[in-house]
Amino acid sequence: MILVLLLASMGIIYRLTTRMPSFMLSCSSELFHRKSAAQDRRHYLLVDLVSNKGQVQINYRYFDYEGNLAGTLSMKGTVDRVDTENQIYDISVTTKKEFLASHNSKVPQHLAYSSYVSSLNLNKKGLHLLSLQVIERDEAKDYAVVLFQPSNTVCGCRLVH
């Protein structure tokens, strides 16, 4: 009986992971922080996201307007749920790596927030939940506008095939 349950569970997991969509996004967004000094107000964010059979790799890279790297945040996890009607992808992040550029004394607020929230969740629960919602999509131009949560960031993304 236990063997039957184990085999059934493995079959369900296999079907779920093989039905998960594979996709790649290359995204960018201009970041503003209104409360800081003028020289630290503007950064831009590049996000690369690769999903293959339910496994996800997300790389956030932050730059100042001179093109200097301010820091990176890399996360790995799994796609837990896809709501095709609303174009929402729920992701569970299980590992994270960070890098802060030593020359940059001002950490972009988005990086500080994303680092703090993900560390808090990973340390308390062992996972950090993310959600991506495609707000607008143009398949002909390989372009999408995507909302990343919980950071509340909207990015323009190139759909990579």
Side-chain angles (χ1 to χ4, degrees):
M1 182 66 170
I2 294 175
L3 182 59
V4 171
L5 290 174
L6 180 62
L7 289 173
S9 298
M10 289 174 55
I12 290 169
I13 291 170
Y14 175 77
R15 277 190 286 134
L16 288 174
T17 57
T18 57
R19 281 194 279 157
M20 288 294 177
S22 294
F23 57 94
M24 182 185 284
L25 300 174
S26 181
C27 307
S28 63
S29 183
E30 192 173 355
L31 302 173
F32 292 94
H33 183 61
R34 295 180 184 173
K35 296 181 182 179
S36 67
Q39 67 269 18
D40 186 43
R41 285 194 339 190
R42 295 169 47 139
H43 286 88
Y44 62 95
L45 167 65
L46 299 179
V47 181
D48 297 313
L49 186 141
V50 178
S51 175
N52 188 15
K53 295 182 181 175
Q55 299 299 308
V56 178
Q57 170 76 41
I58 305 168
N59 295 309
Y60 294 89
R61 294 175 291 146
Y62 299 85
F63 296 89
D64 64 21
Y65 269 61
E66 286 75 45
N68 300 309
L69 180 67
T72 62
L73 185 60
S74 296
M75 300 182 193
K76 290 184 180 181
T78 58
V79 176
D80 291 332
R81 187 177 74 88
V82 178
D83 177 348
T84 53
E85 184 178 326
N86 296 307
Q87 298 189 67
I88 298 174
Y89 300 83
D90 292 330
I91 298 170
S92 291
V93 172
T94 53
T95 61
K96 172 183 82 159
K97 292 182 183 177
E98 295 180 30
F99 168 76
L100 298 176
S102 59
H103 70 277
N104 192 347
S105 61
K106 299 287 185 181
V107 175
Q109 289 292 50
H110 187 274
L111 173 56
Y113 174 78
S114 296
S115 173
Y116 172 76
V117 169
S118 59
S119 290
L120 185 68
N121 290 330
L122 285 167
N123 291 336
K124 279 189 171 182
K125 304 173 192 170
L127 60 98
H128 173 61
L129 301 177
L130 291 176
S131 177
L132 309 177
Q133 181 176 11
V134 178
I135 299 170
E136 184 179 321
R137 175 185 238 141
D138 186 337
E139 292 286 340
K141 295 180 181 177
D142 292 327
Y143 184 79
V145 177
V146 178
L147 171 63
F148 289 79
Q149 293 289 6
S151 64
N152 201 31
T153 305
V154 176
C155 293
C157 301
R158 190 174 66 112
L159 306 171
V160 182
H161 301 286

